[in-house]
Amino acid sequence: MSNQDIVLDVNGIEVIYNHVILVLKGVSLTVPAGRVVALLGGNGAGKTTTLRAVSSLLKGERGAVTKGSIELRGERIENMTPSDLVQRGVVQVMEGRHCFAHLTIEENLLAGAYTRRDRGEISANLEKVYNYFPRLKARRTSQAAYTSGGEQQMCAIGRALMTNPSVVLLDEPSMGLAPQIVEEVFEIVRDLNAKENVTFLLAEQNTNMALRYADYGYIMESGRIVMDGAADELRNNEDVKEFYLGMYGEERKSYRNFKSYKRRKRWLT
Amino acid sequence: MFYRENGQLKTSYQADQQIFPIAQDRWAIIGLVLFAIVAVPLLANEYTFSAILIPFLILSLAALGVNILVGYCGQISMGSGAFMAVGAYAAYNTLVRIDGMPLLLALLSGGFFATVVGMFFGIPSLRVKGLYLAVATLAAQFLSDWAFLRVPWFTNNSTSGSVMVSELQMFSWRIDTAVEKYLFCLGFLIVFAVLAKNLVRSAIGREWMAVRDMDVAAAVIGIRITYAKLSAFAVSSFIIGVAGALWGFVHLGAWEPAAFGLDRSFQLLFIVIIGGMGSIMGSFFGAAFIVILPIVLSQTLPALGNLVGFEVSTAAISHAEFMIFGALIVWFLIVEPHGLAKLWSTGKQKLRLWPFPH
C-alpha cells in the first residue's frame, strides 16, 4: 500500500468529552482509497467517537481531539468544520438516521445536494441514488417521518451520496433494521464501493455482517484499537470468532465445558 | 490533592445518600452558612445589606422556584413575575384583613395563593410545550399587571395604588434593622434551599426530570404527566410566591405592580439560564451574577478610570456598565452553555483528579 493510496490517516488521537471524560486513548487507523474499512466493537468502545472525530462533529457533543492528528490525503483536518469536510468529499451518515422529518424523501435528498451548484449534476446524482435505491423512488413524495426504518436509512445514505463524496463514514447502518434489509443496505454499499469507487469507513456492531462486506477491519475496545487485519483473517481468528461472532471452535461446544474453555481477552492486560 | 473522596467509605445507605456525600463539600457548605449567619452581619454595612445582600437572597429564592419549573421540569414559564406579585399581594391582604395575623403565616399564605394561581396557569402546559408554553404563561403576567393595578380590592382600596407594610414582627422579634432583615431572608432561603434540594433528589424530582428529558418516555414508564407538571408548577409557584412576599415586605416595604412586571420574569429566567438549569446551586450563582455584578462594575469602573488617569462621567459609566455586563453574559454562555453551575461542577471534577489530567 503506497502512501498516495491512503485517503484517511488517523494517528494516535485522544478525545476528551466535556473537558474531563477521556474516551479515545490513542486510536490510529488508515483507510486506503476505494476500500471498505470496518470499525468493530461493542457499545461504548469508541467507534462513533472515532467517526465523529474524523468528521469534526465532536464540538456539538462538547468533545475535542486533544492529541494526535487526522489527515485527509495529507491535509490535517482535525480543526476543520464539518462543512469544510463535506466540501472535501468526506460525509458522515449518522447513527439513528436523522432524516429531516417534515421533508419528503426527495426534498431530503435535494437538501443533501446543498454543496453542489450544477443543476445537471444534481439531477444526475438524484437519478443515481434512485437507481441504487429503487425503494426511495417509489416513496419519493412521502414525508420522511412516515417511511419505514429501512427506507429512512436508505434516505440517509442517499442524502450523503448527493454530495458526490469520496469518503463516506457510515455509522451503524444496521441499527434497528430487519436482517433482510441490513443485507440489502450492505449490498448497496458494496455496489457503491465497486462502481462509484466510494471509500467507506463503517462502524458496526454486527461484526459478522460487517466483516463479510469489508476489506479490512479494526476492532476497538474501551477507547483503543485492540486488533486489526484483513477481513478474512479477522473472520478466521479464534479470538474474534469467540468474542464477536459467537462461534466456539469447530463444532458447538457444550455449555458444560464452556467455562473452562473460555478464552481470556489477552489484549486487555 | 486536597479535594479527594479517597478513604471516605460509606457503610450505610443513609451515609451514602446524604446531600453532600463528600466531606470537603459538606464542611465547605456548613462553613459558608456559618459565615453568612455570623461573620457577614459583623462585616457588612447598611448599604451592602439593603442594596446587595437582601435582593440577592430574595432573588436566589425566587430563582430556586423558577429553576424547579424551568430547569427540573422543563416547562418554560414567563409568569414568574406574576407569581411573585400574587405572593406579595396575597400576603399583604391576609396581613391587613385578618386581625392578629402572624407575619410568618401571612408570607406563607402568599405562597399558597401563588400556588393556586400557578397551577391554574400551568394547565396549558398539559397541551403546549416549549416556546408556546412561554407565550401561554405570559398571560399570567398581563393578568396580574392589570388586576393589581385596576382592582382596588387587592390594594385594600389604597388611593395611590401602592401598598405599604410598615412594621415586621415575628413572634416577639421586631425586624427593624437591615441586619435583621438580612437574617430573616437568609433563614427563609436556607430552609427552602434544603427543602428544594431534597425534593429534587426524591421520587418526585426524578419524575420532573424524566418529563423534562422525554415526556413520552416518562409516560410510557407510568409517570403521570399531568401530576408531574402541575406539581412542578405548584412547588415552583409556592417558592416564587414566598419570594415575592419577601420582596415586597422586606426589601421594598412599599410597592406597586410595576415592581413585579415582565422585567422581573425575564430577570428570573436569565438568572436560571446563566446560573445553570436544573441545578439548585445554579440559582445562587445566577442571582449573584445578575445582582452583584452590575454593582461591582459600577463601583470598580470609576476607580479603574482614575487608574488609567481619565475622568469618566457618570453617564458614561452607566453605559459602560451595561455594555460590559452584556458582554460578560455572552462570554459566560459561550464558555459554558450549561451555565455557571456546570462550570463549577467541571471545576470540581478536575480538582478531584488534579494534578493529573485524567
Side-chain angles (χ1 to χ4, degrees):
Chain A
M1 194 181 334
S2 78
N3 237 2
Q4 273 105 8
D5 289 348
I6 295 176
V7 183
L8 198 62
D9 186 6
V10 177
N11 196 359
I13 55 165
E14 208 178 79
V15 169
I16 296 180
Y17 279 119
N18 216 351
H19 304 295
V20 275
I21 307 157
L22 179 66
V23 180
L24 294 189
K25 305 158 186 167
V27 168
S28 304
L29 55 88
T30 53
V31 181
R35 300 294 179 85
V36 179
V37 173
L39 202 54
L40 308 165
N43 288 109
K47 307 184 295 292
T48 302
T49 303
T50 310
L51 291 196
R52 285 221 168 107
V54 171
S55 56
S56 296
L57 288 175
L58 284 173
K59 281 232 175 65
E61 303 285 322
R62 321 200 67 202
V65 178
T66 50
K67 269 184 198 161
S69 65
I70 306 170
E71 287 176 10
L72 177 75
R73 299 186 192 91
E75 186 186 12
R76 297 280 290 258
I77 56 169
E78 64 266 24
N79 287 324
M80 286 189 180
T81 62
S83 55
D84 284 337
L85 282 168
V86 173
Q87 297 282 2
R88 285 168 175 73
V90 180
V91 57
Q92 177 164 8
V93 179
M94 302 246 291
E95 180 180 12
R97 309 187 265 273
H98 297 286
C99 293
F100 304 121
H102 296 280
L103 302 187
T104 63
I105 291 283
E106 183 150 314
E107 284 167 339
N108 261 283
L109 294 175
L110 289 174
Y114 175 76
T115 55
R116 299 288 127 193
R117 291 278 170 269
D118 182 4
R119 282 182 177 230
E121 189 192 348
I122 292 175
S123 55
N125 277 343
L126 192 64
E127 208 42 54
K128 186 179 83 187
V129 170
Y130 282 147
N131 265 332
Y132 281 106
F133 302 99
R135 272 158 173 271
L136 290 187
K137 189 158 194 173
R139 304 293 310 265
R140 58 193 286 181
T141 53
S142 43
Q143 261 193 25
Y146 297 127
T147 58
S148 76
E151 284 155 356
Q152 286 184 28
Q153 182 68 57
M154 290 176 187
C155 174
I157 298 176
R159 191 176 58 188
L161 292 176
M162 292 298 289
T163 62
N164 245 350
S166 56
V167 181
V168 174
L169 310 170
L170 206 51
D171 199 353
E172 295 264 343
S174 71
M175 189 174 100
L177 300 185
Q180 277 184 334
I181 306 286
V182 175
E183 195 97 12
E184 201 179 325
V185 169
F186 272 95
E187 279 299 336
I188 293 165
V189 167
R190 174 183 277 174
D191 254 19
L192 284 167
N193 178 245
K195 291 187 195 149
E196 311 284 333
N197 204 26
V198 180
T199 310
F200 281 91
L201 177 56
L202 175 72
E204 250 310 334
Q205 306 239 8
N206 190 339
T207 314
N208 190 17
M209 191 65 84
L211 284 180
R212 264 176 42 212
Y213 287 93
D215 301 307
Y216 201 84
Y218 289 89
I219 297 182
M220 294 190 72
E221 200 147 314
S222 53
R224 290 193 177 86
I225 287 185
V226 290
M227 197 185 274
D228 69 308
D232 309 337
E233 276 173 40
L234 284 181
R235 220 169 31 218
N236 294 318
N237 182 305
E238 292 294 316
D239 286 327
V240 176
K241 269 188 186 170
E242 170 156 354
F243 294 131
Y244 297 101
L245 299 178
M247 294 186 293
Y248 308 105
E250 289 300 302
E251 75 277 2
R252 281 176 152 253
K253 280 276 188 279
S254 130
Y255 278 101
R256 203 171 48 172
N257 306 327
F258 187 77
K259 264 207 175 129
S260 59
Y261 177 72
K262 194 163 175 24
R263 280 161 182 278
R264 276 182 54 227
K265 294 188 176 179
R266 280 190 294 271
W267 56 77
L268 284 184
T269 44
Chain B
M1 259 189 305
F2 47 86
Y3 184 68
R4 289 277 160 84
E5 69 237 49
N6 298 10
Q8 299 180 18
L9 303 172
K10 307 291 191 300
T11 49
S12 65
Y13 282 114
Q14 209 183 0
D16 201 35
Q17 290 176 341
Q18 54 191 330
I19 298 185
F20 300 106
I22 300 174
Q24 285 93 328
D25 279 347
R26 202 156 56 237
W27 291 117
I29 289 291
I30 292 174
L32 190 68
V33 170
L34 283 180
F35 178 79
I37 294 174
V38 180
V40 171
L42 298 174
L43 295 172
N45 57 19
E46 182 87 21
Y47 167 78
T48 324
F49 278 121
S50 54
I52 302 177
L53 290 173
I54 291 173
F56 163 67
L57 291 180
I58 299 175
L59 283 180
S60 297
L61 184 61
L64 206 64
V66 178
N67 215 334
I68 283 179
L69 184 63
V70 179
Y72 282 95
C73 198
Q75 310 299 311
I76 302 176
S77 156
M78 296 279 224
S80 328
F83 302 150
M84 276 181 91
V86 171
Y89 280 96
Y92 170 75
N93 276 301
T94 39
L95 192 72
V96 177
R97 285 168 196 281
I98 300 171
D99 255 350
M101 187 73 179
L103 173 66
L104 197 61
L105 226 52
L107 292 174
L108 291 181
S109 87
F112 170 76
F113 284 105
T115 307
V116 174
V117 174
M119 279 174 75
F120 175 73
F121 282 100
I123 291 173
S125 75
L126 306 178
R127 201 166 155 77
V128 293
K129 292 179 195 166
L131 286 175
Y132 298 95
L133 179 63
V135 175
T137 49
L138 210 54
Q141 196 65 56
F142 292 125
L143 193 70
S144 90
D145 278 359
W146 172 81
F148 296 125
L149 206 61
R150 301 285 174 217
V151 182
W153 189 83
F154 286 125
T155 53
N156 202 15
N157 302 311
S158 129
T159 42
S160 63
S162 76
V163 297
M164 200 168 118
V165 177
S166 51
E167 59 185 39
L168 301 169
Q169 186 164 14
M170 191 171 74
F171 307 121
S172 56
W173 179 31
R174 275 179 62 99
I175 302 161
D176 274 336
T177 62
V179 181
E180 285 171 323
K181 286 179 178 173
Y182 163 79
L183 288 174
F184 186 63
C185 294
L186 186 65
F188 267 95
L189 183 60
I190 292 173
V191 170
F192 275 104
V194 172
L195 282 179
K197 181 72 191 171
N198 278 320
L199 210 53
V200 297
R201 298 185 323 138
S202 68
I204 185 127
R206 283 190 293 276
E207 273 179 37
W208 292 338
M209 287 186 266
V211 170
R212 168 193 68 189
D213 288 344
M214 204 179 195
D215 52 353
V216 178
V220 158
I221 56 169
I223 289 171
R224 292 165 295 166
I225 303 287
T226 312
Y227 173 78
K229 283 181 177 172
L230 286 187
S231 61
F233 265 99
V235 171
S236 141
S237 345
F238 182 82
I239 298 177
I240 297 173
V242 171
L246 283 176
W247 188 257
F249 280 36
V250 179
H251 179 54
L252 298 175
W255 71 93
E256 349 182 282
F260 303 102
L262 191 55
D263 285 354
R264 186 71 58 209
S265 295
F266 277 121
Q267 191 186 30
L268 288 174
L269 205 57
F270 295 156
I271 288 179
V272 169
I273 291 171
I274 293 169
M277 298 228 259
S279 153
I280 297 291
M281 202 57 136
S283 318
F284 295 99
F285 285 135
F289 189 90
I290 295 273
V291 176
I292 297 176
L293 197 69
I295 294 169
V296 170
L297 280 179
S298 70
Q299 303 274 325
T300 53
L301 278 182
L304 221 63
N306 285 338
L307 210 67
V308 207
F310 80 27
E311 200 63 35
V312 214
S313 69
T314 31
I317 285 179
S318 77
H319 290 310
E321 196 186 304
F322 275 115
M323 284 193 283
I324 296 175
F325 185 57
L328 278 176
I329 290 179
V330 175
W331 185 71
F332 267 110
L333 285 182
I334 288 173
V335 171
E336 186 48 70
H338 292 165
L340 300 174
K342 184 77 187 173
L343 213 58
W344 176 250
S345 76
T346 307
K348 280 210 298 193
Q349 192 96 312
K350 280 193 168 172
L351 201 59
R352 268 159 95 171
L353 299 169
W354 184 80
F356 308 110
H358 301 296

